[in-house]
Structures are given as structure tokens and as C-alpha cells.
Amino acid sequence: MHTTTKALVLRSVDYKESDKILTLLTQDLGKVTASARGSRKKGSPLAAGCQLLCWSEMVLYDYQGRWTVKEAATERQFRGVRDDLDKLALACYFAEVTELLAVEDMPSPDLLSLILNSLHALDKLSKPLELVKAAFELKAMCLAGYEPLLDGCAVCGTEPPEDPRFHLKEGVLHCARCRDEVGEGISMPLDSQALEAMRHIAYGDPKRLFSFRAEGEILRQLADLTEAYLYTQLERGFRTLDFYKQMRMAPGGT
């Protein structure tokens, strides 16, 4: 069976002498694993469209439950990301998170839209990388079923919470004085501007995901919180994020 669909390459692993094994997030099939035979050969018509983080129109062939890429026509390569090591490292982190959250053979249009929009933001928008990262992390958690409660205090109902804190395990706001009533785990302080940014990300129009301002200490607080929330809920780390942080800390990094 042949299927034509658009797909983003989330992961690429070299196989044998000239092949690749790809993890794809497709428009119609969801996440699939496909072999791209001969795609590493010089002059292969599959080479460009099967690169990591490439958005392509592909013809996939299914034989006994195994997918093979028969054709791949590049739609977008996000060159602005590929030409910047910090952006590339962050984009690889987005791909690793997306691969974890996507379900095999189940279409995930919202998740696909999120990573494509995030790659576009890295590629074309003049936004701080930490802002794009925070927006991606929190929205990804919302789409995966971990949408936080960001209204009043989860204990006393005060809105807005007094001296607000965000509980990473429970995913709720609470007043500082209500800390003992929330339960075990870490609560992080949350400035009112950072809270508004979180509400925009979680509840706002996905098409305007990155249309908020945050800088300085507010952005640092927001970025630290969304990263900690993702780590807490998924109970694991990401090697690509570790690499991104190393790149940012290296001499000449930002």
C-alpha cells in the first residue's frame, strides 16, 4: 500500500552502508518509523527530504507493517535553524520531546502544528530562544494531558493567589501561605507577569503562541518553571536539552 503524506523527520539513524531509519511525525498517519533505503548515497533523490528536521511530502510504502520511504520532496528545511548551532540544538530538543509524546500510528495534528510553529519561530521570528523554548514546553504539556490549573489558589480559591507559587507535581497555583495544604513536591515562585505568560501559552490562541513579551528575570523564571514542569511530569531528562545548555554555556554562547 502506498500513501502520500507530509512528514517531519524527528529522528534519523544511519543503518547499514547507505540507509537511514527515520522517525516521522506525519500529517495523516501520526508517528511512524520508516526506512529510507539508499538515502545516504551521493545523488540520492531521497537525501534532502530525509534530513533531520526536514518537512517533506513523502510517498510511503507499507509492506507487512513496515514503512519504506519511496519518494521525498522537500517542502521546508528551516535553514535559519540549521545555520545556528544554538537554534539547531534547541530544535533537536523539540523533536525529542515530540517523539516521546506522539503516539505510534495515531494522528497528532495539534502536536505537529506545535513543533512546526516552534521551528518557524526559531527560523524566522526575532524572539529570545528561552521564550520559544518555554512556550513549546508548556504547550506540549497541555497537549499531552498535563494542562496546569492557572486560575486561583487551588487551596483557598484566592484569585489571583497571594504571593503565588506553582506546584510542579500537582500542576496548580497556590498562595505561599497555603503551601502545606498542596502536598509533597516542589513549588516554584511565580511573578504575576510570568503567570500571565503561562496563561497566554496554555489558554490562548495557538496561532499567537509566541506573541507575548518576557525578558530579564521574568523570562528566566518562566523558562526555569516550564522546563521543571516538563521534567517533573514526564519523569525523565533529555540528552538534547543537556547539549543545548552546554552550547549556551560554551565560550561565545549566549
Side-chain angles (χ1 to χ4, degrees), residues 13-157:
V13 177
D14 291 346
Y15 181 67
K16 295 184 177 179
E17 291 186 1
S18 60
D19 302 345
K20 288 183 179 179
I21 302 297
L22 307 177
T23 301
L24 307 172
L25 187 58
T26 71
Q27 207 168 44
D28 304 296
L29 305 170
K31 183 175 72 173
V32 300
T33 301
S35 61
R37 296 175 181 170
S39 58
R40 290 163 52 214
K41 290 181 179 178
K42 184 177 180 180
S44 169
L46 299 179
C50 291
Q51 293 181 79
L52 181 66
L53 301 173
C54 191
W55 174 242
S56 302
E57 182 172 78
M58 294 185 174
V59 176
L60 304 178
Y61 177 66
D62 178 23
Y63 178 70
Q64 295 183 346
R66 296 184 178 181
W67 291 102
T68 300
V69 180
K70 304 299 290 185
E71 299 177 23
T74 305
E75 297 257 326
R76 188 167 177 184
Q77 292 183 314
F78 303 100
R79 292 192 179 277
V81 174
R82 297 178 187 280
D83 294 340
D84 185 303
L85 289 179
D86 286 345
K87 291 181 178 181
L88 180 58
L90 188 55
C92 289
Y93 168 55
F94 293 170
E96 189 178 5
V97 172
T98 300
E99 182 183 1
L100 176 67
L101 297 180
V103 179
E104 199 82 23
D105 300 323
M106 180 180 294
S108 306
D110 292 336
L111 186 59
L112 177 59
S113 179
L114 173 61
I115 188 170
L116 289 174
N117 287 339
S118 299
L119 293 175
H120 173 77
L122 293 179
D123 189 22
K124 298 296 185 181
L125 302 185
S126 299
K127 294 288 184 178
L129 296 190
E130 293 304 295
L131 185 151
V132 179
K133 172 178 171 291
F136 171 84
E137 289 170 331
L138 182 55
K139 196 63 178 181
M141 288 294 89
C142 293
L143 296 178
Y146 302 101
E147 182 175 301
L149 298 178
L150 300 173
D151 298 323
C153 173
V155 177
C156 70

Side-chain angles (χ1 to χ4, degrees), residues 148-185:
L149 298 178
L150 300 173
D151 298 323
C153 173
V155 177
C156 70
T158 299
E159 185 178 345
E162 296 179 3
D163 194 9
R165 302 287 190 272
F166 182 77
H167 195 280
L168 296 176
K169 184 176 180 181
E170 298 298 332
V172 298
L173 289 176
H174 63 84
C175 302
R177 57 184 167 80
C178 298
R179 173 65 187 87
D180 293 341
E181 304 300 320
V182 184
E184 296 182 356

